[in-house]
Amino acid sequence: MTSFFNHYLIPLYLLFIYFTSTTTTTSAALAIVSPRPKSLLLTVSKDTTTSQYTTKILQRTPPVFVPLTLDLGTQYLWLNCGRRYVSSTYKPVPCGSPLCALANAKICRSCPSGPKPGCNNNTCRAIISNPITNTSTKKGSELATDVIQLNSSNGATTGDLVTIPNFLFVCAPTSLLGGLAKGVSGVAGFGRTKVSFPTQASSAFRLAQTFALCLPPFSENGFAFLGEGPYNITPGGTGLNVDLRSMLTYTPLITNPVRTSEYFIGVQGIKVGGEDVPINKSLFTIDSKGYGGTTISLLQPYTSMETSIYNAVSAAFDRQILNTSYPTKRVAPVAPFKYCYDTLPSSRVGPSVSNIDLVLQGKNAVWTIAPLNSLVRTYVGYCIAFVDGGKNPRSSIVVGGYQIEDNLLQFDRAKNRIGISSSLVYDRIRCSFFNFTTTV
Ligand SMILES: *[C@@H]1O[C@H](CO)[C@@H](O)[C@H](O)[C@H]1NC(C)=O
Ligand SMILES: *[C@@H]1O[C@H](CO)[C@@H](O)[C@H](O)[C@H]1NC(C)=O
Ligand SMILES: *[C@@H]1O[C@H](CO)[C@@H](O)[C@H](O)[C@H]1NC(C)=O
Ligand SMILES: *[C@@H]1O[C@H](CO)[C@@H](O)[C@H](O)[C@H]1NC(C)=O
Ligand SMILES: *[C@@H]1O[C@H](CO)[C@@H](O)[C@H](O)[C@H]1NC(C)=O
Ligand SMILES: *[C@@H]1O[C@H](CO)[C@@H](O)[C@H](O)[C@H]1NC(C)=O
């Protein structure tokens, strides 16, 4: 067990966030964990059984790989501290420490069966919940820090492993893992909080509070970049190197007054094949109870839309799909989808039908959902890959994983905006094309 005194000395970058967010006069010295990289790089893979997107980090002393499910709504990193948690650098956070306040960990408890990771006396505890099952730890789970290691990157390949000595996380019981992909031992929370995974990792190296996700459609490796970039990739069949940032269009990042750790965007209209779909516009705004609007969730496999939006968009798309000389026929639906087709005209990159445009706040900002992301192959043929979100959902639109795959999304908290590339595939780019070769 390490002394509590030590604990106060080390995570200075976290205290820096704390001080700068609670006072305007403190200029705490920043601890730079050397060497300072350009950006940090994580691999992201799809678990095809659950449709969750997973990553892995190195944690503890001696280091072990910890696989994690990514979630944009979760506030922090939480992972299982069951019997197999062995680390000489594990440090519980003592009650009353500024880190407790930073992480909103309000419960202080002793733990008679300790001391061991997850169970120490006089440590602060946070109530955490599993975002799939909604189960939560009612008595709270221990807040702690430990060493993590991540790959750095120059934007084009994998760089050195870099170390963050005191990375804050919550120590969850094994019972909280239900519903997570097989082999995963926790959730990497990418939420809009001061203690989320990207906030902490970027702060440790004074990188911009920006991260980019490129999700792969299969169990191959896509990537997440923490920091401003560049994000370089080589399109198939070319020797070129493209900085994916050049393909982004930006829309303001919107805050939901109730669900502040989630990312919302301002959809203002929806077009199918360039045609405006009639939609009750009040569904696009967020009310004072946090209902309405458009959010993004990596835990929802397909985009859901409030019933009237779903019906209007599906009907317009269906009409256009059937209104061609191609012999397409509607066939019996395959749940959870309602509109399915036996066959569709095809192009080099999948079905050749209309695009669906989410018209966004911001000059010329449009998220084009191309056929590769709007139609899914099933055993009957193709189905429209949206689901009915019901009559009074919390969010009118929840953009889900299938619609994001092989698109680059940049969550730019520093500039309060989200960058969207739309499908990269039509430019011969896939998220799996990133060159993970290590060059130091
Ligand atoms: C922790 O607290 C419990 C109850 O307050 C006490 O019985 C136990 O001795 C303490 N353990 C340690 C290691 O201090
Ligand atoms: C968990 O809660 C969310 C939001 O309240 C809800 O959409 C979801 O259906 C719930 N999941 C379960 C398994 O109860
Ligand atoms: C539009 O939606 C809002 C919120 O759901 C509802 O109160 C209103 O009656 C709807 N307007 C029309 C014309 O359907
Ligand atoms: C069907 O397509 C034709 C030619 O593209 C177009 O002129 C017509 O308006 C379409 N009809 C409907 C109902 O969309
Ligand atoms: C990946 O990067 C390495 C190091 O720069 C380079 O030698 C290799 O050719 C690249 N691979 C591809 C497929 O571009
Ligand atoms: C770092 O990158 C190498 C090479 O791509 C990879 O084998 C390793 O798993 C990565 N480590 C982490 C912690 O992501």
Side-chain angles (χ1 to χ4, degrees):
M1 193 82 336
T2 346
S3 85
F4 288 155
F5 179 68
N6 256 346
H7 188 83
Y8 279 106
L9 295 178
I10 308 164
L12 285 179
Y13 60 92
L14 280 178
L15 291 179
F16 178 77
I17 314 174
Y18 177 76
F19 284 126
T20 51
S21 64
T22 52
T23 79
T24 49
T25 51
T26 316
S27 57
L30 255 181
I32 301 302
V33 199
S34 64
R36 188 176 165 197
K38 249 196 152 115
S39 54
L40 303 169
L41 175 64
L42 299 165
T43 57
V44 178
S45 184
K46 184 175 187 172
D47 175 75
T48 49
T49 308
T50 57
S51 294
Q52 288 166 27
Y53 301 93
T54 63
T55 187
K56 63 183 173 31
I57 60 168
L58 277 171
Q59 193 209 28
R60 308 169 206 184
T61 309
V64 295
F65 275 111
V66 181
L68 301 162
T69 289
L70 291 181
D71 178 32
L72 288 171
T74 295
Q75 307 186 34
Y76 17 54
L77 168 65
W78 65 257
L79 51 89
N80 181 229
C81 281
R83 220 171 302 141
R84 273 171 295 176
Y85 197 108
V86 178
S87 176
S88 62
T89 42
Y90 179 89
K91 298 185 195 101
V93 177
C95 296
S97 136
L99 291 181
C100 302
L102 195 63
N104 201 20
K106 291 180 178 148
I107 302 168
C108 182
R109 268 184 58 207
S110 64
C111 188
S113 66
K116 61 186 176 201
C119 181
N120 290 281
N121 275 355
N122 191 38
T123 58
C124 64
R125 294 168 166 265
I127 293 174
I128 50 174
S129 61
N130 175 315
I132 313 262
T133 59
N134 292 343
T135 327
S136 62
T137 55
K138 304 239 158 37
K139 292 178 178 166
S141 300
E142 185 164 278
L143 193 65
T145 66
D146 208 336
V147 177
I148 71 163
Q149 287 176 284
L150 300 172
N151 277 319
S152 63
S153 177
N154 57 7
T157 52
T158 306
D160 271 324
L161 270 181
V162 293
T163 300
I164 305 176
N166 292 272
F167 201 89
L168 193 69
F169 70 103
V170 184
C171 225
T174 309
S175 59
L176 207 64
L177 297 178
L180 297 183
K182 191 158 177 261
V184 156
S185 51
V187 172
F190 270 51
R192 297 170 72 180
T193 69
K194 299 192 179 85
V195 290
S196 74
F197 189 88
T199 307
Q200 281 194 68
S202 294
S203 301
F205 300 105
R206 278 194 307 178
L207 301 176
Q209 288 298 345
T210 298
F211 62 90
L213 297 178
C214 204
L215 307 179
F218 312 109
S219 57
E220 59 202 355
N221 275 338
F223 58 87
F225 262 106
L226 311 184
E228 208 158 10
Y231 322 126
N232 287 337
I233 214 159
T234 301
T238 71
L240 302 170
N241 214 292
V242 175
D243 183 352
L244 294 178
R245 291 179 303 180
S246 66
M247 302 174 75
L248 298 175
T249 55
Y250 295 96
T251 188
L253 177 54
I254 289 174
T255 303
N256 181 312
V258 178
R259 291 148 62 195
T260 53
S261 66
E262 289 178 49
Y263 300 84
F264 283 78
I265 53 174
V267 171
Q268 299 187 311
I270 301 179
K271 291 183 178 176
V272 176
E275 221 178 84
D276 242 318
V277 177
I279 291 168
N280 179 345
K281 295 279 195 284
S282 74
L283 293 166
F284 291 143
T285 60
I286 301 172
D287 70 17
S288 58
K289 292 188 179 127
Y291 276 67
T294 301
T295 188
I296 302 171
S297 171
L298 304 185
L299 297 179
Q300 208 170 281
Y302 300 95
T303 296
S304 66
M305 297 173 171
E306 181 277 338
T307 300
S308 69
I309 305 178
Y310 172 81
N311 287 339
V313 171
S314 304
F317 198 23
D318 176 67
R319 182 169 42 75
Q320 295 192 20
I321 286 172
L322 295 175
N323 183 25
T324 66
S325 54
Y326 202 79
T328 299
K329 279 199 291 294
R330 280 277 292 279
V331 292
V334 178
F337 311 113
K338 289 188 189 159
Y339 292 79
C340 297
Y341 307 91
D342 56 352
T343 174
L344 292 172
S346 69
S347 71
R348 178 177 62 84
V349 280
S352 172
V353 296
S354 302
N355 286 331
I356 296 175
D357 289 332
L358 303 182
V359 180
L360 303 168
Q361 264 181 33
K363 198 167 170 241
N364 301 327
V366 169
W367 186 346
T368 297
I369 303 176
L372 270 183
N373 295 102
S374 62
L375 291 154
V376 57
R377 242 192 194 297
T378 65
Y379 62 89
V380 297
Y382 283 100
C383 299
I384 298 181
F386 297 116
V387 296
D388 184 345
K391 282 219 155 53
N392 192 22
R394 289 199 309 164
S395 301
S396 300
I397 302 177
V398 182
V399 180
Y402 192 79
Q403 275 66 43
I404 305 171
E405 288 169 359
D406 283 328
N407 285 227
L408 183 81
L409 292 191
Q410 186 188 37
F411 296 80
D412 189 347
R413 292 179 58 200
K415 296 193 177 123
N416 255 304
R417 61 182 188 173
I418 291 192
I420 299 164
S421 70
S422 298
S423 180
L424 300 168
V425 179
Y426 300 84
D427 292 303
R428 298 177 186 266
I429 296 169
R430 290 188 176 271
C431 294
S432 60
F433 287 179
F434 187 79
N435 185 350
F436 284 99
T437 307
T438 306
T439 48
V440 173

